[in-house]
């Protein structure tokens, strides 16, 4: 039931999934490259976070947004989802409001680990 609640064709959904996923990866790599600039920590945090959001949003094209949200907040992956979303928000807070570079870097690492944990929650027995 990939096409539930959508007017998009399967081919269009797969194309947009690929576009968002690749854009997410490119944003993450661009953020990493920008890390070495003088004020690069802010750019890194923003691009890395945008990359993770784009990669997460890419699955909305395959599943549909409502089904994606239901799956994200399913009891078996609720903690992984909350930790992942919290890390995304805390990364941006650390870099823009608190101006703590070390904390932003820590939250980016936690963001990576949280996204990995969240992704593994979709694979049976992987966690």
């Amino acid at each position: 039931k990939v096409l539930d609640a959508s007017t998009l064709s399967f081919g269009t959904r797969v194309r947009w999934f690929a576009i968002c996923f690749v854009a997410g990866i490119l944003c993450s790599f661009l953020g990493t490259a920008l890390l070495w600039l003088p004020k690069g920590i802010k750019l890194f945090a923003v691009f890395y976070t945008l990359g993770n959001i784009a990669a997460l949003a890419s699955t909305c094209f395959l599943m549909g947004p409502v089904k994606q949200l239901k799956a994200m907040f399913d009891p078996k992956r609720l903690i992984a989802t909350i930790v992942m979303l919290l890390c995304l928000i805390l990364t941006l807070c650390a870099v823009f409001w608190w101006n703590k570079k070390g904390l932003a870097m820590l939250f980016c690492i936690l963001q990576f680990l949280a996204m990995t944990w969240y992704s593994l929650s979709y694979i049976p027995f992987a966690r």
Side-chain angles (χ1 to χ4, degrees), residues 15-31 46-58 61:
R15 264 192 301 278
W16 279 104
F17 163 77
I19 289 168
C20 282
F21 192 75
V22 169
I25 291 171
L26 289 176
C27 279
S28 295
F29 280 131
L30 178 61
V46 169
F47 277 100
Y48 191 78
T49 302
L50 285 176
N52 281 334
I53 291 170
L56 181 65
S58 69
F61 285 102

Side-chain angles (χ1 to χ4, degrees), residues 32-46:
T32 304
L34 294 172
L35 182 60
W36 310 112
L37 294 176
K39 298 258 183 187
I41 188 70
K42 286 185 180 183
L43 293 171
F44 168 69
V46 169

Side-chain angles (χ1 to χ4, degrees), residues 54-94:
L56 181 65
S58 69
T59 57
C60 286
F61 285 102
L62 290 181
M63 299 174 69
V66 174
K67 192 173 181 184
Q68 171 72 21
L69 286 173
K70 285 181 182 178
M72 285 175 69
F73 292 99
D74 185 67
K76 66 183 173 187
R77 70 180 58 89
L78 180 63
I79 295 172
T81 299
I82 291 171
V83 170
M84 176 196 57
L85 294 175
L86 191 62
C87 286
L88 292 172
I89 293 166
L90 288 174
T91 299
L92 296 176
C93 287

Side-chain angles (χ1 to χ4, degrees), residues 2-4 6 9-17 61-62 64:
V2 175
L3 297 175
D4 272 352
S6 175
S9 70
F10 180 72
T12 302
R13 282 177 166 252
V14 170
R15 264 192 301 278
W16 279 104
F17 163 77
F61 285 102
L62 290 181

